[in-house]
């Protein structure tokens, strides 16, 4: 599998990030392009994102959807 490289604790792959946010991989890329999410590790092709960054976006989406 592509995801076989060891990922540091506290980081998520793009796949995991998309799953957490309930969006597509393309949606994740758009968040990055708009500066809403920053790659915290990995490589441009296999990026990792920091768990707190993703959690903040999840909370924000949740607040928006319940507001």
């Amino acid at each position: 599998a592509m995801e076989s490289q060891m990922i540091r604790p506290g980081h998520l792959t793009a796949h995991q990030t998309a799953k957490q946010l309930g969006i597509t991989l393309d949606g994740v890329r758009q968040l990055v392009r708009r500066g809403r999410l920053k790659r915290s590790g990995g490589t441009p092709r296999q990026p990792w994102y920091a768990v707190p960054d993703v959690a903040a976006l999840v909370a924000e989406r949740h607040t928006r959807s319940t507001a």
Side-chain angles (χ1 to χ4, degrees):
M2 294 287 291
E3 312 252 5
S4 57
Q5 55 178 181
M6 281 301 295
I7 185 148
R8 284 197 309 248
H11 289 79
L12 297 170
T13 63
H15 254 296
Q16 293 168 322
T17 300
K19 210 187 228 140
Q20 289 291 316
L21 288 166
I23 59 177
T24 62
L25 280 174
D26 201 52
V28 172
R29 279 191 286 270
Q30 278 169 28
L31 284 172
V32 173
R33 211 174 302 136
R34 294 206 306 264
R36 309 277 292 112
L37 182 63
K38 222 162 62 82
R39 180 163 70 83
S40 67
T43 66
R45 284 186 60 78
Q46 294 279 309
W48 302 342
Y49 302 103
V51 167
D53 293 351
V54 176
L57 283 173
V58 170
E60 190 179 292
R61 291 175 73 85
H62 193 72
T63 310
R64 259 213 309 273
S65 65
T66 55

